[in-house]
Amino acid sequence: MFQPVYLDHNATTALDPAVLAAMLPWLEGQYGNASSRHEYGRAARRAIDQARQQVAAAVNAHPTEVVFTSGGSEANNLFIKGAAAVFRPGSLAISAIEHPCVLKPAAKLARQGWLVNEIAVSANGQVDVEHFNTVMAGKPRLISVMTANNETGVIQDIPALADAAKGAGAWFHSDAVQALGKLPLDFRALNGTGLHAMTLSAHKAYGPKGAAALVLDKRLELQALIAGGGQERGLRSGTENVAAIVGFGVAAELAASRLAEHASEFNLLKARLEAGVGELGGWIFGLDVPRLANTSYFSFADVDGETLVSKLDRAGFALASGAACSSTNPEPSHVLRAMGVPADNARGAIRVSLGRGNTEAQIDEFIHVLRATLVGLRGLAAMAA
Amino acid sequence: MFQPVYLDHNATTALDPAVLAAMLPWLEGQYGNASSRHEYGRAARRAIDQARQQVAAAVNAHPTEVVFTSGGSEANNLFIKGAAAVFRPGSLAISAIEHPCVLKPAAKLARQGWLVNEIAVSANGQVDVEHFNTVMAGKPRLISVMTANNETGVIQDIPALADAAKGAGAWFHSDAVQALGKLPLDFRALNGTGLHAMTLSAHKAYGPKGAAALVLDKRLELQALIAGGGQERGLRSGTENVAAIVGFGVAAELAASRLAEHASEFNLLKARLEAGVGELGGWIFGLDVPRLANTSYFSFADVDGETLVSKLDRAGFALASGAACSSTNPEPSHVLRAMGVPADNARGAIRVSLGRGNTEAQIDEFIHVLRATLVGLRGLAAMAA
């Protein structure tokens, strides 16, 4: 089968073979329900306990701080809705570039009487510290600012923001789904600076779809989104997806151990890619600020991103024109709008997110094909003009 | 490795080999995010579409009526909370023997001003029709009555209840998690009698943990529990667990095709089991009413169910003393309490839930071991007295 070159690792990643190998026994003979008290059940419980330790160790948290969920969207909804449910309506602060699974729960709270403050970002995609401080003066009860953006890869200075937020006395959460395996994450240290919760997801880091976690300061009492049998200390009921959780544990361990290697490898590939993009006249978003090593987001004048991605797909390169999770949405990216990028420029945006297995030769071939595609599209545009 | 005989299929089941085979490609080369527009993503989308058709076909629903979730608990929470969120607080009717993932969301609604009517059941575990009609006269907005109980296996007459509820004009939901693959389910016909929604789960029917569905009359507009990228027509956001959903599709297809074979096979095994249990002086719950072919729930005088299950586990038989999902709860079963079973008798309850692979020889051996275990326990009790 023809396999296009995969350049969309921020959307999802392939299972690491070691992850799949660890999962398989739990998809075969070891099928117990972890709540069952017989040997099948106890074996499943031990496997989940081990995965909880692995995930905790990967981000320097305590195993009891790890709440497994079915995905990052669920974990983000759990924090926003679950924390809001224990307060009377007050004020909530989120950055303008959060994922829809933070923005939409926030919008729901707004309809329930909460005042939602969207913290502005600068043209380079970083949170505007001055605006952040202004919002903090209003003493929000809840704050959510992502660690690294899925589209631009721009990294926020979470320790500094958490420190600046301390006076507000808010519960501070960060969606770190794009950071796991790409940035060092130290929940203990972050908790010390004033961060209380963090979302992780397995499938963004060579783990399975269907497992994620909210890492949570145990002093916070959230209301469960899914109530029932009382799994996950009552914070997330439902039969545990044992195989996926086991896979998450191994993926988290691998993510932590490969951090340095990945960063240097992807930074080299990204520099090669962006040199080519620059030569082709591309505009790279967030170029001047810290970004994830694997993520490059750029656009070309007078070229539609959707069209470009579609042509590149047919030419054998799989990448995204926007966040995969909102690809059903034809609007230009809300992240680029928040950065003040003109709509025309935003509509041209395409994202390369690198991952394991990508090579220099692939990048060179990609630039070659991109050049030809742009020439073709611009030729058509010139003919139409 | 020593493999105890598994008699706990209502807690969870092993993956059917055909299900695992169908899942594997989606855990290996086919890892796309179904929201991505490139070929990896489109392939994942097609696989989900096919699974949606398979699940729909298994219960005679339309594919657009199938909303995939991460589990049965999530689907039940989605219905109860998602439906309640579109109404002003009113009255809600649920049976007293629902799973905790219905009872707890209902209890939460009670704290928000809803009047929660618990519909009584008779001593045999069936909904008390007279009480049901009384509750219906109060015109509840929402109703949830499970199709078959996880502990007793007792089957409710959902078409008759839905018909009786018609005058109330309520939205009627049934948790059919224990019914898939054990009873014929015809959503189209049930919808005609007045049922609006139904919960299914893959892992109770030889499918994977991590995939389930709310089958939903499209005239009902629920509020999403997990908001974000807008997957599942906006009713359930989050990157789809493609492999688990694919496995659910195959499991649902197999469940429908094996229905008759399973029913006759398990009815024979159950008769053999219950003859033995009767000889040992066991009391079988729900004996006089329609029950699932695979489920037998019984207790012995002066014997503690937990202790018995623990001894049987060591003797090589895996079964439950109560619903697995509430095994962390030392209280006697709320189902048996609702049936008016005295606490002492309820504390003795153990459940055998049969499944594929169970044999007559296993049942005979189980009765043999059960007899010896009871003799041992009663000997100890007599000595202590």
Side-chain angles (χ1 to χ4, degrees), chain A residues 49-368:
Chain A
D49 287 345
Q50 193 196 336
R52 198 183 304 280
Q53 285 170 13
Q54 289 169 312
V55 171
V59 298
N60 195 25
H62 192 272
T64 57
E65 293 170 324
V66 173
V67 179
F68 285 124
T69 70
S70 74
S73 291
E74 186 192 329
N76 283 341
N77 274 256
L78 170 58
F79 180 82
I80 302 285
K81 295 180 181 175
V86 303
F87 291 114
R88 288 172 196 280
S91 124
L92 166 76
I94 57 172
S95 89
I97 58 167
E98 295 302 308
H99 189 274
C101 64
V102 167
L103 294 174
K104 288 196 184 168
K108 187 183 171 185
L109 292 184
R111 291 191 296 275
Q112 294 173 352
W114 284 73
L115 176 68
V116 177
N117 295 287
E118 273 201 7
I119 304 156
V121 298
S122 60
N124 58 31
Q126 280 196 312
V127 161
D128 180 325
V129 175
E130 203 172 318
H131 189 228
F132 184 84
N133 289 330
T134 307
V135 169
M136 289 309 111
K139 298 222 180 288
R141 292 189 176 151
L142 304 173
I143 307 168
S144 188
V145 177
M146 69 203 324
T147 301
N149 185 266
N150 49 314
E151 296 184 31
T152 61
V154 168
I155 299 162
Q156 306 299 335
D157 189 348
I158 298 295
L161 296 176
D163 194 57
K166 261 188 173 165
W171 291 1
F172 195 149
H173 165 260
S174 183
D175 175 357
V177 157
Q178 291 294 344
L180 181 66
K182 299 172 192 161
L183 291 177
L185 291 171
D186 185 331
F187 185 70
R188 186 64 46 243
L190 289 165
N191 195 219
T193 67
L195 187 83
H196 302 97
M198 188 163 79
T199 294
L200 307 173
S201 175
H203 82 96
K204 306 286 190 189
Y206 310 96
K209 297 172 180 70
L214 183 67
V215 184
L216 184 68
D217 184 324
K218 286 176 74 182
R219 292 169 297 179
L220 270 56
E221 297 204 10
L222 305 188
Q223 204 165 102
L225 208 57
I226 303 175
Q231 289 88 346
E232 298 296 311
R233 298 190 285 117
L235 283 167
R236 204 286 176 182
S237 290
T239 298
E240 293 92 337
N241 188 342
V242 185
I245 289 171
V246 164
F248 185 15
V250 175
E253 202 168 74
L254 291 173
S257 72
R258 289 168 173 168
L259 206 51
E261 170 206 337
H262 276 185
S264 62
E265 182 185 337
F266 299 151
N267 268 323
L268 284 174
L269 288 178
K270 186 171 67 171
R272 199 174 182 97
L273 169 75
E274 295 191 343
V277 167
E279 274 174 31
L280 294 173
W283 175 264
I284 298 165
F285 301 109
L287 189 59
D288 300 329
V289 291
R291 283 180 298 151
L292 297 175
N294 82 315
T295 308
S296 185
Y297 198 36
F298 47 86
S299 78
F300 297 93
D302 309 322
V303 170
D304 178 64
E306 283 289 312
T307 310
L308 186 51
V309 158
S310 164
K311 296 243 178 232
L312 290 168
D313 179 40
R314 266 169 280 169
F317 292 91
L319 64 161
S321 64
C325 290
S326 54
S327 280
T328 48
N329 182 349
E331 293 285 302
S333 152
H334 73 284
V335 174
L336 295 179
R337 275 187 283 132
M339 290 161 65
V341 175
D344 268 8
N345 194 359
R347 259 192 290 271
I350 67 174
R351 178 188 70 188
V352 168
S353 49
L354 301 163
R356 288 177 72 78
N358 287 150
T359 62
E360 287 192 1
Q362 288 175 344
I363 297 302
D364 294 346
E365 177 65 12
F366 174 72
I367 291 293
H368 178 75

Side-chain angles (χ1 to χ4, degrees), chain B residues 18-376:
Chain B
V19 171
L20 179 55
M23 290 171 69
L24 279 177
W26 306 96
L27 294 170
E28 293 174 331
Q30 297 275 30
Y31 54 87
N33 184 320
S35 295
S36 296
R37 297 204 168 179
H38 46 64
E39 182 49 29
Y40 291 89
R42 288 194 303 267
R45 176 59 58 207
R46 286 192 298 269
I48 292 171
D49 286 346
Q50 193 195 338
R52 199 183 303 281
Q53 285 170 12
Q54 289 169 311
V55 170
V59 298
N60 195 24
H62 192 271
T64 57
E65 292 170 324
V66 174
V67 180
F68 286 123
T69 70
S70 74
S73 291
E74 185 192 329
N76 283 341
N77 273 257
L78 170 58
F79 180 82
I80 302 284
K81 296 180 180 175
V86 303
F87 290 113
R88 287 171 198 280
S91 125
L92 166 76
I94 58 172
S95 89
I97 58 167
E98 295 301 306
H99 189 275
C101 65
V102 168
L103 294 174
K104 288 195 184 170
K108 186 183 171 185
L109 292 184
R111 292 191 295 275
Q112 294 173 351
W114 283 73
L115 177 68
V116 177
N117 294 287
E118 274 201 7
I119 303 156
V121 299
S122 60
N124 59 31
Q126 280 194 315
V127 161
D128 179 325
V129 175
E130 204 171 317
H131 189 227
F132 183 85
N133 288 331
T134 306
V135 169
M136 289 309 112
K139 299 221 179 289
R141 292 191 177 150
L142 305 173
I143 307 169
S144 188
V145 177
M146 69 203 323
T147 301
N149 185 266
N150 48 314
E151 296 185 30
T152 61
V154 167
I155 299 162
Q156 306 300 337
D157 188 349
I158 298 295
L161 295 175
D163 194 56
K166 261 189 175 165
W171 291 1
F172 196 150
H173 164 260
S174 184
D175 175 357
V177 157
Q178 291 294 345
L180 181 66
K182 301 172 190 161
L183 291 177
L185 291 170
D186 184 331
F187 186 70
R188 186 63 47 242
L190 288 165
N191 196 220
T193 67
L195 187 82
H196 302 98
M198 187 164 78
T199 295
L200 307 173
S201 176
H203 82 96
K204 305 288 190 189
Y206 310 97
K209 297 171 181 70
L214 183 67
V215 184
L216 184 68
D217 184 324
K218 285 176 73 182
R219 292 169 298 179
L220 271 55
E221 297 204 10
L222 305 188
Q223 204 167 100
L225 207 57
I226 303 174
Q231 288 88 345
E232 298 295 310
R233 296 190 286 117
L235 283 167
R236 204 286 176 180
S237 290
T239 299
E240 293 93 338
N241 188 342
V242 185
I245 290 172
V246 164
F248 185 15
V250 175
E253 201 168 75
L254 290 173
S257 72
R258 289 167 173 170
L259 206 50
E261 171 206 337
H262 275 186
S264 62
E265 182 185 337
F266 299 151
N267 269 322
L268 284 173
L269 289 177
K270 185 170 67 170
R272 197 174 184 98
L273 169 76
E274 296 192 342
V277 167
E279 276 174 29
L280 295 173
W283 176 266
I284 297 165
F285 301 109
L287 190 58
D288 300 330
V289 292
R291 284 181 297 151
L292 297 175
N294 82 316
T295 307
S296 184
Y297 197 37
F298 46 87
S299 78
F300 297 93
D302 309 323
V303 170
D304 177 64
E306 284 288 314
T307 310
L308 186 51
V309 158
S310 163
K311 298 242 179 233
L312 290 168
D313 179 40
R314 266 169 279 169
F317 293 92
L319 64 161
S321 64
C325 290
S326 54
S327 280
T328 49
N329 182 350
E331 294 284 303
S333 152
H334 74 284
V335 175
L336 295 178
R337 274 187 283 131
M339 291 161 63
V341 175
D344 269 7
N345 194 358
R347 260 192 289 272
I350 68 174
R351 179 188 70 189
V352 168
S353 48
L354 302 162
R356 289 178 70 77
N358 287 149
T359 62
E360 287 191 359
Q362 288 175 342
I363 298 302
D364 294 346
E365 177 64 13
F366 174 73
I367 292 293
H368 178 74
V369 168
L370 178 61
R371 182 190 308 269
T373 309
L374 288 170
V375 167

